[in-house]
Amino acid sequence: MKVLVTGGAGFIGGHVVDQLVGDGAEVVVLDSLVAHSEPPSHLPDAVDLRVADLRDPDAVAHASGDVDAVCHQAARVGLGVDLDDVADYVSDNDLGTAVLLRALWRRRFTGRLVVASSMVVYGEGRYRCPAHGVVTPGPRSGADLDAGRFEPPCPRCGAALSWDRVTEDAAPDPRNVYAATKLHTEQLAFVYGRETGAPVCALRYHNVYGPRMPRDTPYAGVASIFRSALAAGAAPRVFEDGGQVRDFVHAGDVARANVLALGSAWTGPVNVASGEPHTILEMATALCAAFGPDAPAPVVTGEYRLGDVRHVVASPERAAEVLGFEARTSFVAGMAEFAHAPLRR
């Protein structure tokens, strides 16, 4: 099988490429290398690397010309800094996906298409009210966050809510620019699938971490930000009260989910998660403990970002059922490795 991996020199894309090559696939990587000063040394020699922007129609047409499957990982990631980023996100993620799909359409491609999506399409996760059952809280207000009221209340009665696992059937509710572009990536891909009959799968990654994560950038994931702080001798700064619940899934597991998706016929969205939720403070504490006895303890700051959500915890059931995917790297083992893993500048 010959597979095009967009963004294949990046963090998650690189792990996908490793596993595909290890399984004997022929791999074409299309990557702008904007995050690299030179082609990364971790790319296997057997990879056909095409250095180009995903928005370049000719480069995309040539890279995808004879592939059997496409694994679309390329994207501008993170929440952004503020709305000044909006045009860059839409251009990189929406236009980039559109250029890819147009190239596939012009060659009448009906092979397997797997696209990288994200938990952020859900907005706030799934919540239950003691009186009203499953409810969808609205965005948290700056006044509540300033006052340290971090938990979203029931939108009907104001009661305290408990979080529940969110399934792929939940209504999307993107609450920042990045989330909106990832949802649009899914929607464009599914339109392509309906028009062509190509099987399309969107993998909704939860909080991915692991070796070769980017470091020292506001666009990096929270695990990378904490790990970079420790490497600089500083304490990880935990926003809000640290009680935000997430699912931290290792990059190696995410790569394996992609390979399984490429080999399946499932069409639709799938959560990719460990099934082992933890709070942000628990993650920071585990990372500090694994870093070494002299590591500073995490500091809970009470700071917040309006684009953040409180709790997002995935149901891993569909991934197990339709892809045969279950995470193999435990939280403890993964954090112990990540505390000393190399990061990408």
Side-chain angles (χ1 to χ4, degrees), residues 74-124:
R76 180 180 288 263
V77 299
L79 298 184
V81 176
D82 54 38
L83 273 174
D84 196 54
D85 289 328
V86 63
D88 294 330
Y89 272 90
V90 170
S91 180
D92 284 348
N93 298 355
D94 292 351
L95 179 58
T97 297
V99 171
L100 172 66
L101 295 177
R102 183 176 63 183
L104 297 177
W105 167 261
R106 287 177 173 175
R107 61 156 287 205
R108 300 298 185 260
F109 174 84
T110 57
R112 185 63 161 151
L113 173 60
V114 175
V115 299
S117 187
S118 171
M119 65 171 192
V120 295
V121 303
Y122 295 123
E124 284 287 353

Side-chain angles (χ1 to χ4, degrees), residues 222-223 226-227 230 235-239 242 248 278-291 295-300 331 335:
V222 65
F226 289 171
R227 169 70 167 73
L230 287 169
R237 296 175 60 83
V238 179
F239 282 13
F248 297 95
H278 290 274
T279 68
I280 298 293
L281 182 56
E282 286 173 341
M283 185 272 286
T285 301
L287 195 57
C288 290
F291 196 78
V299 175
V300 178
F331 177 78
M335 288 298 159

Side-chain angles (χ1 to χ4, degrees), residues 128-210:
R128 289 187 179 274
C129 171
H132 298 106
V134 175
V135 295
T136 303
R140 298 180 296 170
S141 71
D144 281 342
L145 294 169
D146 284 336
R149 293 188 293 268
F150 300 121
E151 295 290 343
C154 175
R156 297 177 62 183
C157 68
L161 302 174
S162 58
W163 63 263
D164 200 355
R165 295 180 185 272
V166 63
T167 67
E168 293 86 350
D169 297 325
D173 183 20
R175 297 190 178 185
N176 55 64
V177 171
Y178 171 65
T181 63
K182 294 310 286 185
L183 179 59
H184 199 207
T185 292
E186 286 191 19
Q187 292 169 332
L188 290 171
F190 288 135
V191 167
Y192 183 88
R194 286 192 293 272
E195 291 289 325
T196 64
V200 177
C201 179
L203 298 180
R204 292 175 174 170
Y205 304 155
H206 286 250
N207 287 69
V208 187
Y209 71 97

Side-chain angles (χ1 to χ4, degrees), residues 1 10-11 20 40 70 84 95 108 111 113 126 153 171 189 197-198 205 208 235-236 250 273 278 294 318:
M1 180 170 67
F11 168 44
L20 285 171
V70 176
D84 196 54
L95 179 58
R108 300 298 185 260
L113 173 60
R126 181 181 172 94
Y205 304 155
V208 187
H250 192 274
H278 290 274
D294 297 327
R318 179 179 289 181

